[in-house]
Amino acid sequence: FPQQFKSCYKIGLLGVSICYILNIKILVALMNDPYKIKSKSQDKTNFSRVIIASILIVVLIILNLYLAVCFVSDTKEAFSNSPNYFDLFYYTIITFTTVGYGDIVPITMEAKIVSSLISITNIICITIFLSTILSYRDKIKSDI
């Protein structure tokens, strides 16, 4: 498994980048029109479907960012303390939540770019997630 990451570095980063862009695009589309979410019940006031869809998209974005961290870490010593894959997942979550304890530090330029992308994505996701939920809730109240 680790050797496959090293051999597929460029194509893997390209695939992760495409998935990341598509997930952000879906999140923005969800923000623009929460009624695009299809569900079995045709109840337009079903607020839980928007929350569940938003959470699932954010989880997919976090997994995309984790894969990007894994691809970057396998090229050379990109992070301090020689982290394993679980440590890299921990690092992704800690960086995404902007806590950043500093126990794993990006060293190479690629690792620093991915770390910056994780932090910027957090701000975008929180902004879109909150605005979607609040605007959808206000729309439901105005329709009733």
Side-chain angles (χ1 to χ4, degrees):
F1 183 69
Q3 296 303 326
Q4 292 172 346
F5 263 83
K6 289 179 183 178
S7 66
C8 300
Y9 167 69
K10 290 181 182 178
I11 193 89
L13 275 179
L14 178 66
V16 167
S17 300
I18 291 170
C19 289
Y20 173 79
I21 290 168
L22 291 174
N23 283 328
I24 293 292
K25 185 178 175 183
I26 291 170
L27 197 59
V28 170
L30 178 65
M31 179 187 74
N32 288 335
D33 187 14
Y35 291 114
K36 288 183 180 179
I37 301 172
K38 305 292 184 202
S39 66
K40 289 182 180 179
S41 68
Q42 296 302 322
D43 183 17
K44 294 286 187 179
T45 61
N46 193 356
F47 186 62
S48 64
R49 69 185 178 148
V50 174
I51 293 174
I52 291 171
S54 299
I55 289 172
L56 287 174
I57 292 169
V58 169
V59 166
L60 287 173
I61 290 171
I62 291 172
L63 289 176
N64 283 335
L65 293 170
Y66 167 64
L67 285 174
V69 168
C70 288
F71 279 119
V72 167
S73 73
D74 280 338
T75 57
K76 45 189 164 183
E77 292 296 321
F79 296 96
S80 65
N81 298 334
S82 301
N84 58 21
Y85 288 115
F86 180 76
D87 292 337
L88 291 175
F89 182 70
Y90 160 80
Y91 170 77
T92 304
I93 297 297
I94 294 301
T95 306
F96 188 80
T97 57
T98 65
V99 173
Y101 291 123
D103 49 351
I104 301 172
V105 179
I107 297 171
T108 63
M109 182 62 71
E110 295 87 4
K112 290 177 182 179
I113 289 170
V114 170
S115 298
S116 299
L117 183 67
I118 292 171
S119 298
I120 291 168
T121 302
N122 172 33
I123 295 168
I124 292 170
C125 286
I126 288 176
T127 304
I128 291 174
F129 185 73
L130 289 177
S131 65
T132 300
I133 289 174
L134 294 175
S135 67
Y136 187 74
R137 197 175 89 200
D138 289 343
K139 195 180 279 190
I140 288 174
K141 285 182 181 179
S142 67
D143 289 344
I144 294 178

